[in-house]
Structure formats: structure tokens, C-alpha cells
Amino acid sequence: MDKYNELADLIFPNVIETLEDLEKRYPVRNIDKSQRVTRFAPSPTGFLHTGSLFVTLVDYIAAKQSNGVFYIRLEDTDQKREIEGSGKDLIEQLKVFGLVNDEGYFGDEEKGIYGPYVQSKRKEIYDIVLKEMIRRNKAYPCFCTEEELTELRKVQEVNKVRPGYYGIYAKYHHFSPEEAIKLIKEGKPYVIRFKSEGNEKNKYKAYDEIKGQVDITENDQDIVICKSDGLPTYHFAHLVDDHFMGTTHVIRGEEWLPSLPIHLQLFQTLGWEAPAYCHLPVIMKIDENGTRRKLSKRKDKEAATSFFIEAGYPTEGFLEYLMTVVNSNFEEWREENKNLSIFDFPFRFDKMSLDGALFDMGKVSFICKEVLSRMNSQEISEKTYEWSKKFDKELQGLIERDFEYFKSIMNIEREKENPRKDYEKYGDIKESIKFFYDDYYNEMLNNELPWNPNIAKEDIKNVLNTFIAKNNMDLDEENWFANLKEIASSCGFAANVKEYKKNKEAFKGHIGDVAEIIRIAITTRKQTPNLYFILKILGVKGYTERINKVINKL
Ligand code: GLU
């Protein structure tokens, strides 16, 4: 028997299937050339990073727009770094953003004929490919110990040569299969390395869908493809999984671009067609010191998508923000297509920024305000309620007291051409509306009210009493305001500011001061949404009770 076969059988005695069997098990997808198959391939090592959400958004939109398939694969081969349950959490979080896959890993289950979609369950598949590579002399066992590899690094440093396991430094590359068989039989532990035939002097161009032509230096490193625990490394799993799962576009972070020569070489070695590669810009930020750097898991709260979900940023607003990062012409399109979904945007890989995407919290806030202001009162009320159930029990309680009342509050200055843009996130709502609820209002009354110090208490009282007597809530907003002006005049305040400015001495203040007095009395605040609508919602009985309480305290 051929010695390579013997070595392959010795390492994988139970593997009987071949590459042909795998090709049959995972047939080529029945799609046409224009359809894209994309995948998000997270490692279950923690929370969903904002950068990963960005990648997933591109995966999703690239597949959807071509009528293709977006699937998720869990890359859990680094078992030391794995955090229990985080795979499932990632899926849950993506669901919150509406980025649901068509196929693959779903947390509790898997769907699709190209599975398993969890790498730790795919050992049997990797083994078939590894066995074949050993048979073809494209991979070999390497028995180097950690100490030997450290020693090698030192030698290379001293000799000022490139670090790594290649050429003359790749000790076991040059071992015969007989020698390898002997060491395995002696029980020496080993990993499996790729047997590179590359030469670093060979340069060529490859194509990246985003970056265009990229320079490639042929890989000559004998990278590890199977670790001593029998699980594959990223490079090898990428090769096998993206081939047998029929990925057409590998969309991933730019940090993988330096590995592209290895990946292209692996595909070529197996005689498989490589997927299209799309390396996305890394999300950066300008930090407190003005330095441009990567969004960091450790330092930046905005690196975790959970931060935005918990604070109550509308998920559609956050995605909309990310779309502005995806394609620079998105905003222009949005201006012209206000009512379409972001997924209708004609996305293009070649319109992506090349030099790192800068995360802009101010813009997130601006867009989220826009998005919240465009929701009708039913929608914002429901969404706020859903958010409150998870993140703010107190607000949940308030909404549950009377949903319609809450909705009428949310309706203030909404559903019109220029709606009020006061909320950036659901988390802003409670503070701004709690005065509508009597128990909160009464508690707030215990604090000093922010009266204008230039207006005498007696005059404030007079305004409040006159208001109770003469206010008329049956009038529409315009006539109500005209009436408020009359109330102002009758109390010695100017009915308009211009008049007041001409002759300040003649007045106690102006209409704005009167409105402020009413506002403070019924809300305890100087700044609130439209006063007329607040009065409407509180009703005559409600606001009269409040004003009387304030008068008694003055
Ligand atoms: N598991 C890899 C990562 O989390 C996936 C990269 C890829 O999409 O290929 O970085």
C-alpha cells in the first residue's frame, strides 16, 4: 500500500467516506449566478459586537437583494474561549434587529440540508477532508512541541528572518510518511499542518468585491489545519464549510484580509472554486484623546449592541445608521425614498468605504430621533411598551395603568408634517412624561418649583387663579391661545413679546411668562411638549386640581 495511504489510515482508521461522498451529501445549490449565498459565522465568545451586527447587516442585505440565502454557522472550535449560551444569545439579539437567517443555526435548532451548522458537530466532515489531504500529500502530522516552536521563533529572531513554520524551518514537512508513521506509533502527540507548495517570491492579484484588486504574496507557511484536540483551525474550517455549504460570498471583517493568500491556496489545493471575498472596513471611533482606533470590546460601551437595545434605541434607527456606514449614497437615497424599508436600498459592494468606517454616536442619535418621530402614536406606544417589559418595569407599570392614556401622551405633536423630535430612545420617554401621572406629579411637587424669580408670588397666584376661572378647553389651539393672551393682559402681562420689549416697565412680564407659569404649575417643569395638548390630556378637572394644589403652596 502507498505510504501516504497508510499514514492517512493510521490517523483516521474509522474514516471511510471520501470527498466524492461529501459532494453527494452536500449537492451544489440550485441557484443561478446572480443569487448570493452569504453567512454570518460568529464564534460564541461573548456579546454581539457592533462590528458583527454591521457584518450581518451586509450579509443579510446582500442575500435578500439577490433572492439568495443568508445562513448562520456557529464557529465554536475554540473551546477554551467559548462562553456558555452566547451562541444562542447572539441569535436572540440579531432577531431583535430583525436580521433572521433563512437557514443554519437558530440557537435551539438547525434548519437546512447543509448542516450541521455548528462546527464542533462537524468533526466527521473535517476528518474526511483531512484524510484525503494526507493521502494526496497535501497535509502531514507535525510533532513539534511548544518548546520547539518557541525555540524556532528565537532562532528566527536572532537570524532576522521571517517568523513561522515554512521552508527549511518546517521540520516535519521534510519527514517521510514512514518516519511519521513511526512517531505516531510511538504515541507522540501531533497537529496536522497544511503542506504548502507556495513561494513567497510569487506575487499576484486577487479580487475583493469591496477593495477591488488586492496584492497577494503566495503563502509558504505550513499552517496548522487541525489542532491537537482534533478540531479544525479557522482557515481549514472556512475552506471546508464554505465549500460544502455553498457560500458564494464570504463577507467578513478586514482583519481576515491578510489570511486571504492562505485561503485562496487552500481552495486551489483541493481544486475547489473559491467564493467571492468581501472584506468589510473595521468600525473605528475617535476617542477622548482624539485618537482614531478600533471600537473596543473592553473600553467602549457602544461596541456592544446590547448597549443600544437596553438603552432603548429603536433597532430600526440603529440599522438605518449602520446603512449610512454601509454605503455612502444611502442618505441621498433615503431622502428620496422616505417610506421604503432600508432593505429596498440598492446596496453595492463597490460603494463601501475603504478606509475604515467611523462610528458616530451623534449621528446615531440624530437618526434615531428621526425614526422615533416618524412612528405613529400606536406604533411608538407599542414599541415603548415592548421595550419597557424587558428594561423598565416602572414604565411598564405606567403604561399598563391605561394604554390609551399613554398613547394620547405619545400622540402630542406627532402624526404631522414636522413631528416633535424629542426622544432619541425609548429610555428617554419615562422621565419626560411621568408628570402626567398624578402620583409622580405629587412627588415632584415636593421639590422647589422653578419659578421665574422676577415675577412676584402674588402675581403668579393671580395668573393661576385667573387661568382656572377663564381658561376654555373647548376652543381649538389657536383660539385657546388667543384666550390665554387675554388672560395674560387681564393680569397685567403683555399679550405679545414685542409689545413687552417696547415698554418693559408697563408690564409684569409677557405671554411667554404666563404660559410658563401654567406649565410649571401643571407639570413642575419649565420645558415640556406643547402646553395646549398637556392641558387637553389632563382635562379640566385634572389641571384645576393641580393648579389649586400649587396655589395653596405658594
Ligand atoms: N468566526 C470568525 C470570526 O468570528 C468568522 C469570520 C468569517 O466570517 O469568516 O471572526
Side-chain angles (χ1 to χ4, degrees):
M1 184 160 94
D2 175 319
K3 282 289 165 192
Y4 291 106
N5 270 325
E6 195 179 325
L7 176 61
D9 279 343
L10 180 63
I11 298 178
F12 298 105
N14 301 322
V15 173
I16 43 172
E17 281 184 286
T18 62
L19 291 189
E20 290 71 46
D21 294 323
L22 283 180
E23 298 291 353
K24 270 192 221 126
R25 207 196 298 176
Y26 302 114
V28 173
R29 286 178 188 262
N30 186 13
I31 50 168
D32 65 44
K33 275 223 161 340
S34 66
Q35 288 172 291
R36 301 186 188 115
V37 179
T38 65
R39 86 296 190 273
F40 173 50
S43 301
T45 51
F47 57 77
L48 181 65
H49 193 283
T50 297
S52 304
L53 181 67
F54 176 60
V55 174
T56 313
L57 176 62
V58 178
D59 279 319
Y60 185 86
I61 196 164
K64 286 280 149 231
Q65 293 206 338
S66 67
N67 235 337
V69 178
F70 164 54
Y71 73 90
I72 292 184
R73 174 171 76 227
L74 194 68
E75 305 215 321
D76 61 342
T77 55
D78 192 348
Q79 304 203 316
K80 280 194 268 354
R81 286 177 58 222
E82 178 157 356
I83 295 176
E84 180 82 27
S86 66
K88 210 174 141 183
D89 288 352
L90 288 170
I91 302 295
E92 286 305 315
Q93 295 207 18
L94 288 176
K95 214 193 268 169
V96 174
F97 285 97
L99 299 178
V100 177
N101 43 322
D102 306 304
E103 178 185 309
Y105 172 75
F106 286 85
D108 290 326
E109 52 169 352
E110 294 185 26
K111 279 188 217 150
I113 61 162
Y114 294 90
Y117 295 90
V118 174
Q119 286 183 333
S120 59
K121 296 188 198 160
R122 296 174 62 78
K123 185 171 156 38
E124 172 242 349
I125 298 166
Y126 304 125
D127 285 355
I128 296 172
V129 183
L130 286 167
K131 185 166 186 178
E132 182 62 27
M133 287 176 77
I134 291 176
R135 239 189 230 138
R136 296 188 197 170
N137 192 21
K138 303 291 181 200
Y140 63 91
C142 165
F143 304 88
C144 275
T145 60
E146 274 307 314
E147 294 70 40
E148 278 177 283
L149 291 174
T150 314
E151 189 49 38
L152 174 63
R153 226 168 293 138
K154 276 192 205 142
V155 170
Q156 290 171 329
E157 236 166 70
V158 170
N159 295 339
K160 298 206 164 38
V161 293
R162 269 188 306 129
Y165 201 84
Y166 63 95
I168 54 163
Y169 304 105
K171 180 172 165 191
Y172 293 99
H173 181 119
H174 308 285
F175 264 44
S176 68
E178 289 86 346
E179 286 170 300
I181 290 170
K182 184 166 167 279
L183 290 176
I184 291 177
K185 287 192 172 156
E186 281 168 16
K188 263 199 122 188
Y190 58 90
V191 298
I192 297 176
R193 287 185 186 268
F194 171 55
K195 200 164 197 173
S196 173
E197 287 158 23
N199 182 337
E200 62 130 8
K201 295 205 175 70
N202 292 341
K203 318 265 178 198
Y204 65 102
K205 301 256 186 217
Y207 189 74
D208 179 276
E209 298 287 322
I210 296 168
K211 299 183 184 301
Q213 301 281 352
V214 288
D215 292 322
I216 302 278
T217 298
E218 215 169 70
N219 169 60
D220 63 356
Q221 302 268 350
D222 284 0
I223 53 140
V224 174
I225 52 179
C226 175
K227 298 175 290 183
S228 53
D229 61 5
L231 288 173
T233 55
Y234 169 76
H235 306 300
F236 185 64
H238 156 51
L239 165 82
V240 174
D241 295 348
D242 285 314
H243 173 67
F244 286 110
M245 292 181 181
T247 310
T248 64
H249 288 67
V250 167
I251 299 170
R252 61 187 179 187
E254 195 165 59
E255 67 274 19
W256 292 110
L257 187 59
S259 311
L260 186 57
I262 297 176
H263 301 156
L264 291 171
Q265 190 185 22
L266 285 171
F267 275 94
Q268 200 192 13
T269 301
L270 269 298
W272 295 339
E273 189 187 343
Y277 284 96
C278 320
H279 289 95
L280 297 185
V282 169
I283 301 208
M284 318 278 283
K285 80 175 256 176
I286 298 194
D287 71 9
E288 315 68 63
N289 313 320
T291 335
R292 199 179 156 105
R293 60 168 171 78
K294 264 170 83 168
L295 262 193
S296 138
K297 264 192 192 187
R298 266 182 314 111
K299 295 188 212 146
D300 306 315
K301 60 182 185 332
E302 67 271 38
T305 54
S306 56
F307 161 72
F308 295 95
I309 296 175
E310 283 161 28
Y313 285 86
T315 50
E316 51 278 67
F318 193 57
L319 283 190
E320 178 130 3
Y321 165 68
L322 288 180
M323 281 304 292
T324 69
V325 183
V326 169
N327 269 184
S328 53
N329 56 331
F330 173 77
E331 279 165 278
E332 211 178 290
W333 174 86
R334 182 40 114 198
E335 266 306 300
E336 284 155 21
N337 299 282
K338 288 212 164 81
N339 299 322
L340 293 186
S341 146
I342 58 169
F343 300 117
D344 294 323
F345 168 71
F347 151 84
R348 288 179 57 156
F349 283 113
D350 61 1
K351 282 244 160 40
M352 295 199 76
S353 126
L354 293 180
D355 50 353
L358 205 54
F359 193 81
D360 182 347
M361 206 48 208
K363 199 156 171 182
V364 173
S365 151
F366 177 84
I367 292 179
C368 288
K369 277 187 179 166
E370 238 347 278
V371 164
L372 286 180
S373 79
R374 267 191 261 127
M375 289 180 187
N376 65 31
S377 54
Q378 180 71 24
E379 186 182 3
I380 193 167
S381 303
E382 278 170 9
K383 289 192 166 159
T384 307
Y385 180 52
E386 285 312 311
W387 175 82
S388 74
K389 287 201 275 190
K390 286 203 200 105
F391 302 110
D392 191 340
K393 293 280 165 226
E394 197 183 0
L395 178 62
Q396 180 191 355
L398 285 182
I399 301 175
E400 282 173 357
R401 283 185 199 175
D402 183 347
F403 185 78
E404 287 306 312
Y405 185 68
F406 178 70
K407 199 171 122 186
S408 65
I409 298 169
M410 296 314 292
N411 196 33
I412 297 178
E413 292 177 86
R414 186 171 289 283
E415 298 182 30
K416 54 184 217 166
E417 188 153 359
N418 286 312
R420 195 178 159 89
K421 293 182 187 143
D422 43 2
Y423 306 128
E424 161 181 327
K425 47 191 187 296
Y426 302 117
D428 294 339
I429 293 175
K430 184 177 74 189
E431 264 319 293
S432 126
I433 59 129
K434 61 185 192 185
F435 67 79
F436 277 102
Y437 296 87
D438 284 341
D439 43 348
Y440 285 86
Y441 168 81
N442 289 335
E443 205 182 299
M444 287 151 78
L445 264 194
N446 293 331
N447 300 329
E448 203 58 40
L449 294 179
W451 302 119
N452 179 344
N454 300 324
I455 300 174
K457 290 276 150 63
E458 277 319 301
D459 294 324
I460 293 177
K461 257 192 200 173
N462 186 26
V463 166
L464 292 175
N465 278 317
T466 316
F467 182 79
I468 291 180
K470 294 199 183 148
N471 183 45
N472 181 355
M473 272 345 272
D474 294 332
L475 300 173
D476 64 16
E477 191 179 359
E478 204 183 322
N479 287 313
W480 168 83
F481 191 60
N483 186 43
L484 188 67
K485 284 182 169 178
E486 279 172 30
I487 295 173
S489 301
S490 72
C491 295
F493 288 75
N496 67 58
V497 181
K498 236 196 219 152
E499 198 185 328
Y500 171 74
K501 281 196 176 146
K502 265 193 259 154
N503 193 2
K504 287 189 184 170
E505 271 65 52
F507 300 102
K508 299 192 160 131
H510 56 74
I511 177 71
D513 298 318
V514 170
E516 185 181 273
I517 291 172
I518 315 293
R519 189 186 303 278
I520 293 175
I522 63 172
T523 72
T524 78
R525 294 186 176 163
K526 278 167 97 159
Q527 260 152 13
T528 68
N530 180 302
L531 183 58
Y532 173 74
F533 292 109
I534 297 177
L535 288 163
K536 276 266 184 212
I537 291 172
L538 292 176
V540 178
K541 186 164 167 281
Y543 75 70
T544 308
E545 262 171 34
R546 288 188 177 194
I547 293 177
N548 278 329
K549 246 185 218 152
V550 171
I551 293 175
N552 286 337
K553 286 185 69 162
L554 272 166

